[in-house]
């Protein structure tokens, strides 16, 4: 069985040849063309739509998203190979992953608004810019790797201060660090992201965005609600040097030291206090 686990990216995925000329009675429009367009040439994981005008449906995939996708392709390929050998069942392909137990450090981004209509507009803006923040945190110089969680957790809460209802959507990005990294300052990345968000002319009163640094035992309970808690067999993420779930839990037990920093510093060797940046 062939899967995308061995696909040679950025070779594009195509259902047919790309047409660069508009069909009769169709308005000419720009078409995905990496030979003519440097922006298209920079795409990492092109999956091109078959109809005119052909576009890259995965234009927003960056290095962190690509790593996550390739890892999942690899794990699925291994699982399918075991199924074909009769060693595992197809049901296992649809079992939820223990993402939040596979990492220690997380960035939590809350998108908040006080009404459904304003939330819809604010959420669209913030979500579209979030990949810029994730890409900024991924740094060879800092020794950081990002693992964004694709699912958004949406809910309605009461404000602790005034009791008013507010709409909230939470995104999570797990962070891993190169060996020997002792301290990471993400405040400049957060400030740049918040500046871009605050520059939106359509922002209204009640639209807010908050960024927290969390460690595993500080995660909200709702992230585990749809996870199969029995699926804790130490799945490796990526290279052989990556830690399994049990390794991460053991490592976390060694890191329970207090850190009084209240800005966006992450100390891989310490348990840090959650920090909040407000878009307001």
């Amino acid at each position: 069985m062939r899967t995308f686990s061995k696909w040679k990216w950025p070779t594009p995925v195509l259902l047919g040849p790309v047409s660069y000329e508009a069909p009769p009675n169709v308005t000419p429009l720009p078409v995905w063309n990496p030979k003519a367009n440097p922006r298209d040439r920079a795409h990492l994981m092109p999956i091109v739509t078959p109809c005119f005008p052909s576009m890259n449906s995965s234009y927003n995939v960056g290095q962190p998203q690509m790593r996550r996708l390739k890892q999942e392709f690899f794990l699925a390929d291994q699982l399918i190979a075991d199924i074909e050998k009769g060693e595992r069942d197809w049901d296992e392909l649809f079992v939820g992953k223990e993402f939040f137990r596979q990492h220690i450090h997380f960035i939590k981004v809350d998108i908040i608004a006080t009404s459904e209509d304003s939330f819809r507009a604010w959420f669209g803006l913030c979500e579209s810019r979030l990949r810029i923040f994730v890409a900024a945190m991924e740094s060879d110089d800092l020794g950081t790797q990002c693992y964004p969680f694709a699912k958004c957790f949406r809910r309605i809460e009461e404000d602790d201060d005034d009791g008013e209802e507010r709409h909230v959507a939470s995104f999570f990005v797990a962070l891993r660090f190169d060996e020997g990294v002792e301290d990471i300052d993400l405040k400049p990345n957060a400030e740049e992201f918040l500046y871009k968000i605050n520059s939106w002319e359509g922002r209204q009163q009640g639209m807010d965005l908050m960024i927290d640094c969390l460690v595993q035992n500080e995660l909200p309970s709702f992230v585990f609600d749809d996870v199969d808690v029995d699926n804790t067999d130490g799945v490796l993420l990526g290279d052989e040097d990556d830690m399994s779930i049990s390794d991460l839990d053991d490592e976390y037990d060694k890191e329970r030291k207090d850190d009084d920093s209240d800005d966006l510093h992450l100390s891989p060797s310490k348990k840090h206090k959650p920090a909040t940046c407000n878009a307001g």
Side-chain angles (χ1 to χ4, degrees), residues 51 66-67 77 97 107 163 170 172 187 190 238 243 259 277:
C51 299
M66 185 176 181
R67 183 190 308 111
D77 186 68
K97 294 295 185 290
I107 297 295
S170 298
F172 292 86
K187 191 172 183 180
M243 294 182 176
D259 180 4
C277 277

Side-chain angles (χ1 to χ4, degrees), residues 83-125:
I83 291 171
E84 289 184 327
K85 291 186 288 187
E87 297 176 358
R88 304 175 80 170
D89 297 323
W90 280 107
D91 290 345
E92 295 186 48
L93 187 63
F94 305 99
V95 172
K97 294 295 185 290
E98 285 279 311
F99 177 85
F100 292 100
R101 300 190 192 279
Q102 292 171 332
H103 304 275
I104 298 173
H105 299 277
F106 297 86
I107 297 295
K108 173 171 168 275
V109 179
D110 285 341
I111 301 168
I112 305 166
T114 52
S115 72
E116 178 66 30
D117 289 341
S118 62
F119 176 82
R120 189 179 299 111
W122 181 235
F123 176 86
L125 182 280

Side-chain angles (χ1 to χ4, degrees), residues 140-192:
D140 291 336
D141 294 335
L142 293 176
T144 56
Q145 288 187 339
C146 296
Y147 294 79
F149 187 66
K151 180 177 178 179
C152 159
F153 295 90
R154 184 172 173 179
R155 61 204 182 278
I156 297 177
E157 298 180 343
E158 282 190 5
D159 191 288
D160 292 337
D161 296 328
D162 54 25
E164 289 188 2
E165 187 178 273
R166 61 180 191 170
H167 298 257
V168 184
S170 298
F171 287 91
F172 292 86
V173 180
L175 296 176
R176 288 194 178 187
F177 308 94
D178 290 347
E179 185 177 357
V181 173
E182 292 295 330
D183 187 76
I184 299 293
D185 184 6
L186 296 177
K187 191 172 183 180
N189 306 94
E191 289 177 341
E192 182 179 358

Side-chain angles (χ1 to χ4, degrees), residues 2-276:
R2 298 177 62 187
T3 71
F4 280 100
S5 64
K6 297 179 177 62
W7 191 264
K8 302 299 183 183
W9 305 102
T11 303
V13 176
L14 300 168
L15 293 180
V18 175
S19 176
Y20 297 100
E21 296 185 3
N25 302 319
V26 175
T27 303
L29 294 168
V31 175
W32 184 80
N33 187 350
K35 293 182 179 179
N37 190 337
R39 195 171 187 175
D40 292 345
R41 192 158 55 245
H43 292 168
L44 300 178
M45 218 171 193
I47 302 172
V48 181
T49 57
C51 299
F52 183 88
S54 293
M55 305 296 290
N56 176 18
S57 62
S58 55
Y59 73 93
N60 59 348
V61 171
Q63 286 290 353
Q65 293 86 355
M66 185 176 181
R67 183 190 308 111
R68 284 275 292 147
L69 288 167
K70 290 175 70 175
Q71 288 169 346
E72 291 301 320
F73 292 159
F74 175 76
L75 292 172
D77 186 68
Q78 285 187 319
L79 176 56
I80 290 172
D82 290 342
I83 291 171
E84 289 184 327
K85 291 186 288 187
E87 297 176 358
R88 304 175 80 170
D89 297 323
W90 280 107
D91 290 345
E92 295 186 48
L93 187 63
F94 305 99
V95 172
K97 294 295 185 290
E98 285 279 311
F99 177 85
F100 292 100
R101 300 190 192 279
Q102 292 171 332
H103 304 275
I104 298 173
H105 299 277
F106 297 86
I107 297 295
K108 173 171 168 275
V109 179
D110 285 341
I111 301 168
I112 305 166
T114 52
S115 72
E116 178 66 30
D117 289 341
S118 62
F119 176 82
R120 189 179 299 111
W122 181 235
F123 176 86
L125 182 280
C126 294
E127 183 187 31
S128 68
R129 302 292 191 273
L130 190 58
R131 64 189 178 92
I132 300 173
F133 181 42
V134 174
M137 290 190 293
E138 174 101 0
S139 170
D140 291 336
D141 294 335
L142 293 176
T144 56
Q145 288 187 339
C146 296
Y147 294 79
F149 187 66
K151 180 177 178 179
C152 159
F153 295 90
R154 184 172 173 179
R155 61 204 182 278
I156 297 177
E157 298 180 343
E158 282 190 5
D159 191 288
D160 292 337
D161 296 328
D162 54 25
E164 289 188 2
E165 187 178 273
R166 61 180 191 170
H167 298 257
V168 184
S170 298
F171 287 91
F172 292 86
V173 180
L175 296 176
R176 288 194 178 187
F177 308 94
D178 290 347
E179 185 177 357
V181 173
E182 292 295 330
D183 187 76
I184 299 293
D185 184 6
L186 296 177
K187 191 172 183 180
N189 306 94
E191 289 177 341
E192 182 179 358
F193 174 58
L194 294 176
Y195 175 78
K196 289 182 171 67
I197 295 298
N198 283 329
S199 300
W200 185 48
E201 294 181 354
R203 189 182 175 203
Q204 303 172 3
Q205 181 70 27
M207 295 179 176
D208 209 348
L209 186 139
M210 303 178 70
I211 303 173
D212 291 337
C213 296
L214 304 175
V215 289
Q216 190 185 91
N217 73 336
E218 296 166 335
L219 290 169
S221 59
F222 60 74
V223 303
F224 302 105
D225 287 347
D226 62 348
V227 172
D228 182 355
V229 295
D230 294 326
N231 184 31
T232 55
D233 53 353
V235 177
L236 288 177
L237 286 181
D239 298 334
E240 293 178 358
D241 292 334
D242 283 340
M243 294 182 176
S244 67
I245 297 168
S246 56
D247 290 335
L248 284 168
D249 288 341
D250 291 340
E251 187 71 14
Y252 177 70
D253 289 339
K254 300 174 184 177
E255 297 179 355
R256 302 177 65 87
K257 296 181 180 179
D258 290 332
D259 180 4
D260 294 330
S261 171
D262 57 1
D263 57 3
L264 283 176
H265 276 270
L266 286 178
S267 296
S269 60
K270 297 180 180 180
K271 175 183 179 298
H272 59 272
K273 181 180 178 182
T276 301

